[in-house]
Amino acid sequence: MSKKLGVKLSKRSAYLIGLSTLILLTLFNQFLIQRILNEQRFDATVINLAGRQRMLSQKITKEVMQAGQGTFPIENAKHEAAIFQTVHQGLQQGNELLRLPKLSNQEIQLLFDDISSNLSAIVSPILEASSMEELTVSIPSILENEKEFLIKMDRIVSALEIDSRRQIQRLIMLEILLAFFSVLILLGEFRFIFKPLYDELDEENEELEKTIKGLTHSKGELFKATQRFDLSIEAINAGIWDWYIPDGSEWWSDKFHTLLGYKRGEITASYHTFLNDLLHPDDREKVEKAVKAHLEERKKYKLEIRMKNKNGNYRWYETVGQASWDFKEEPIRMVGSIIDIEDKKQFEAQLSSDEQMLRIQKAELEKALTELSEIQKVAKIGTWEVDLETMSAHWSDEVYKIHEVPVGVEIKVEDGINYYREDYRTVIQKAIDNAIKNKESWNEECVLVTALGNEVWVRAIGFPVFKEGDVVALRGLFMDIDNERRAVEDKRKSELIFRSIFNSTFNFTGLLEPDGTLIEANKSALDFGGFTMKEAKGLNFADAPWWSLSKEINQQLREAIKKAASGEFIRYDVDVVGVGGKVITIDFSIIPIFDDDGKVIYLVPEGRDITERIELEGEVALSTSRLIEAQKIARIGNWNWDMKEDSIIWSDQNYEVFGQKKSFKPNFNDLNKLIHPDDRGPFQKDVEQAIKENQPHDFIHRIVLNGGKEIRYIHERGIVFYDEEGNPSRMAGTSQDVTEQVIREKEIASKRELLELSEKQLKTFINQAPVAVAMLDDEMNYIAVSNKWYKDYGITDSDIIGKNHYDVLPEIKKMSKWIDDHRKVLSGEELSNSRDKFVREDGSIQWISWKLLPWYDEPGEVGGMIMYTADITNEIKYQEQLENLNEILEHQVNLRTEELNKANQELEAFSYSVSHDLRAPLRSINGFADILEEDYWDSLDEEGRRLVGIIKESGIKMGQLIDDILEFSRLGRKAINKGVVDMKEVFKEVTKEVSSLNKDLDISFKLSELTNVNGDLSLLKQVVTNLISNAVKYSSKEKNIKIEVSHTEKDGKIVFSVRDNGTGFDMKYHDKLFGVFQRLHSSNDFEGTGVGLAIVRRIITKHGGEIWAESELDKGSIFYFSLPKT
Amino acid sequence: MKEDKTVEILLVEDSNHDAELTLRALKKNNITNNIVRLRNGEEALDFIFGRGEYQQRSIKNQPKVVLLDLKMPKVDGMEVLKEIRNNKETENLPVVILTSSKEERDVIESYKLGVNSFIVKPVEFGSFTKAVAEIGFYWVLLNQKP
């Protein structure tokens, strides 16, 4: 009992505890939700406003400056300053109007206190200024304070941002708590209330449900709050922009910069920058439109735009903005934010493309599946597989059925081939080999011999199956196509039979569409007509050449086709015309062919040659009836004129000829009225003459019909009959409508006239042409020829028109090549030759260039040829002469070259012997003079000693001369060996050598930077050595020798100069400087042979350069040499 | 018939004057021992290879240096040099060309054939003496035969 009670109590108390806990939790949850909802989020606004303040201060100072220059009214500056001040106070102390709370953060409050002095230093002078002068005085202090204000304001903004972040964190904590309690409530529902008390607490259930509803509601609120939370996060993650509309300047928050990858200051914040540099060009229109809509119609400004990051890539951003307007409703500024939504965008794009792909794939798959099942249903298709690894085969049921093998019987691999009829086994074997080797599939139509011995047509499709690149199995389809194949075969057979009968019959037959279009005609008919089916197909049967004999026959046929198309069987005899104008008479019939509904679908025309029969009949039937027929055909009518009664009787055909109704009973006057006014007189005259002179009347006149619209030509023929007294009584005759003939004749006549005219013009044109041109017919007779033609070929015959080309120029008869060419041109080729030999009858040679063109007559056949020729004999002669001359010249050049070579060789031999033979005796002179001096010094008196000295000196000098002259001549023969030469280096080496050789002299060299040249190193070194040695030599009398080397560029050449401060020379003799053995100083003053500069010039000239010098006596000299630029 | 005595310098020179000057120059520098002067290339070859007049001479007994003029009657210096270098037993014999010719082709040809030195006889006697003395010192006193 007590136990029960205990249980009951405990249940009740548990319920109570549970319920109260739940209520508590719910309440607490509600409280939290309220807290979050109440959370005032002013931080973004504050940061925003602070940013603006910063901008405003800049603006005000700018305005003050402008006001100072008188370009900005001071009142406006005052107005701005007032706003500036109010906002600032609002930020610091809170403002109802601006919906700003009082600042709670102590630290920021302090910062604001600090900035106040700067603010009032900016604002006070503006607000208190009563005149421009006052304001101007305080501009420097305003500027100073503005600078400080900016710095401090930046500090405040960043402090605000930190504070804002702190608030967000608090909010997050609240959200987490909220979520935690919500979970507890949910747990409470299940664990504490529902499960243990379910049976007993129906009533409470309702309440609980209410609670749950409430809870759900709370969750809804929670969701809203979360959204708000998200928004706050966004607000902070967002970059802020503030656009001052009048001047387009903008302020961008740090976050704005970092979102775009920039640092503050790296880009100029302005609306212009945003539009032109950041915004994606494709989004520009969208932005401008939205801004306009927002500013003018106050529509919401929220866009997704692309902006360029510092790295050059575009990213997606969401931007929202809100403008403010002044009292005149003019927009002043617009403030907003941007958030990076690139990830979201990409995700969206990915999602949509994935979705689309999936949808397409699914649709395709479904389509393929339906098609497959349909096909399989209709066609008998089976599948098979051969596993090449285990060498086992598998067939689907349908394959068994096709092979007529009981389903399930074990299949061997080779069965796959052996069931084919023998002639197809190799085909399949090849296909399989190819599939394994080349990994290609096959698709063959083959004949199978089934297990029951039936032959069946199948389509075998197979393809290789790969595993890691190797073929491991073959798989494929098997289709029973026997019915189709047999149907095709049967059709082909029956068609073959039909065709052979159709074509081999002697009768003409064919097949027409009901409208007469020719579908088919048999061989006999085509052979008779002389054309092929290809030419006739699609033609109307009546337009085919068989029926061109006369209009009547043609008309008759057209009517017959019409009747036959309406189901009538037609048969009549008719004349048809065949190849070569052969006319035969056929027993012609048209048989209509009906379909199942009784509709005519084809017409079968048939004709049997009955010419012989007709010819027999014809002789009998050649009578009046035939005459009538003939007259009808020829459009001839009869007439009889009773002169006495003046009445004319016309035959039926005559009425038709005159185009009159049968009721018309003419007399002569009536007839006259029908005749064309111009013809009446002559006609009457002819009639009168016939009567008077008893002559046949034969006259063609015109008649006018349909009020002048139609004119016919009538050929009248008549005879006059006389009575017994010899008076004319009547006249009888025929009238024939000859309109067509007359018109045709006229046309021909006018055409001929035109033709004759143009031919005449052509002939004149050709005749006067300044080139040799001739027009010939296809038998090589001249039609037209130019005067030049006569002249060029010396034709003495004054008129060759109509004469044969080969008779006029008989030598061509022997030129088979030309005759062959003529034949080619007459068969349509165009030929030309720019240089051809024409051996004339007298043996002279004429060189010509020619061009032959075929010309075509009206039906498009070659009518002959046109020859254009030019006599180039003189040019060829000149050319030959030129060639001869060249040959002679070349020969002469060769001769001269040889001579020159010989002379060179002689010179070489000469200088060699000079070098050797001349030096030897010199050496003896020197040597023995020396010995004389050494050994006989004591026995020589003063004069003898002096003389020995002279001998020695002269010998040495002569040796030097020989050496120099040899060197000079050697240079002439030596080939220069070019390479890049570092001139600075060359000069350096040479000056070093020269200095060491002249240690006793005080020489200072000055080398400037020298450029490299292309030349022979050793030769150029010789040049430099010579010039430097000369410079030293001729300056040796100076105390301080100064030698300067430099270079310039002139006319594409490099000019080097060597300047000394030596004795110089008289410019009068400057042309003798570089000659061999030319000296301007006596060797008593300066040693030398006079060859050195000659050698230098030779080297420089060989290099393609020049050498010259400038000087003045006792003032030094400058030697220049130039070398081509590399 | 000439006996097989040891020779230090073989001077091959057709000009008596030049020979005299050369010998004097050597003498001046105290190089007077065992100098033989021959007048042309033929004699030189006979001497070196122990032929003709010099049959007694052993090919093994060679001078320390051969001073060879280029332009000589009968067999010229270049041919002598060629012969010397073509023979196994004489290929290492030091040969100095001593000539008036300054022709580059002679210089190149001589070095191609393997001459040890190429000296142009200076016209001036002082220089000539100096040059000859240097040859003598180097090839006779300093050089070591292989």
Side-chain angles (χ1 to χ4, degrees), chain A residues 906-919 966 969 973, chain B residues 70-71 76 78 99-106:
Chain A
E906 276 169 22
L907 191 72
E908 220 168 298
F910 167 73
S911 47
Y912 186 79
S913 60
V914 164
S915 150
H916 193 270
D917 298 352
L918 230 52
R919 280 165 63 90
L966 276 177
S969 81
R973 286 174 282 133
Chain B
L70 275 185
K71 231 179 140 206
D76 72 12
M78 211 67 89
T99 176
S100 301
S101 169
K102 223 180 168 181
E103 280 299 303
E104 205 169 328
R105 56 170 188 192
D106 287 343

Side-chain angles (χ1 to χ4, degrees), chain A residues 551-568:
Chain A
K551 262 189 184 175
E552 282 71 20
I553 290 175
N554 205 277
Q555 197 54 43
Q556 190 184 16
L557 175 66
R558 283 177 203 276
E559 272 154 28
I561 290 169
K562 225 177 270 170
K563 278 184 198 162
S566 66
E568 215 176 300

Side-chain angles (χ1 to χ4, degrees), chain A residues 832-975:
Chain A
S832 66
N833 190 336
S834 61
R835 185 178 165 167
D836 207 349
K837 204 175 186 181
F838 182 25
V839 181
R840 303 304 306 268
E841 230 175 5
D842 61 0
S844 64
I845 287 167
Q846 193 167 6
W847 288 94
I848 58 167
S849 76
W850 53 259
K851 186 169 187 175
L852 305 182
L853 302 169
W855 58 267
Y856 296 89
D857 58 14
E858 218 171 330
E861 312 254 321
V862 175
M865 73 173 78
I866 298 170
M867 296 181 166
Y868 298 94
T869 70
D871 188 325
I872 53 166
T873 312
N874 283 341
E875 282 101 55
I876 298 286
K877 260 188 208 157
Y878 290 143
Q879 208 177 325
E880 275 176 0
Q881 277 175 6
L882 206 70
E883 277 163 15
N884 275 341
L885 220 64
N886 271 341
E887 230 168 85
I888 292 166
L889 223 66
E890 209 164 309
H891 182 69
Q892 279 179 348
V893 166
N894 284 341
L895 270 180
R896 295 271 154 81
T897 313
E898 220 169 283
E899 279 169 22
L900 211 67
N901 280 342
K902 239 184 243 169
N904 252 342
Q905 273 168 8
E906 276 169 22
L907 191 72
E908 220 168 298
F910 167 73
S911 47
Y912 186 79
S913 60
V914 164
S915 150
H916 193 270
D917 298 352
L918 230 52
R919 280 165 63 90
L922 255 178
R923 203 163 34 248
S924 299
I925 293 169
N926 274 340
F928 290 103
D930 228 62
I931 292 169
L932 194 66
E933 207 175 51
E934 268 180 37
D935 293 0
Y936 302 95
W937 187 254
D938 296 335
S939 13
L940 286 172
D941 64 0
E942 192 71 11
E943 182 60 12
R945 286 173 190 173
R946 190 181 69 84
L947 293 178
V948 171
I950 291 171
I951 293 170
K952 268 179 75 181
E953 213 172 275
S954 306
I956 289 165
K957 192 160 171 214
M958 192 172 169
Q960 232 168 33
L961 262 170
I962 290 170
D963 282 354
D964 282 354
I965 201 77
L966 276 177
E967 175 73 27
F968 182 71
S969 81
R970 208 173 9 234
L971 263 178
R973 286 174 282 133
K974 201 176 169 186

Side-chain angles (χ1 to χ4, degrees), chain B residues 1 12 24 41 63 70 87-89 108-109 112-113:
Chain B
M1 292 293 158
V12 189
R24 187 182 165 92
L70 275 185
N87 195 300
K88 267 258 179 279
E89 299 191 67
I108 291 169
E109 186 63 27
K112 267 189 192 160
L113 288 175

Side-chain angles (χ1 to χ4, degrees), chain A residues 421-438:
Chain A
R421 203 170 72 191
E422 229 171 324
D423 48 344
Y424 283 100
R425 281 181 205 157
T426 47
V427 175
I428 291 299
Q429 187 61 54
K430 244 186 217 166
I432 291 171
D433 291 348
N434 187 43
I436 294 171
K437 206 172 144 202
N438 300 327

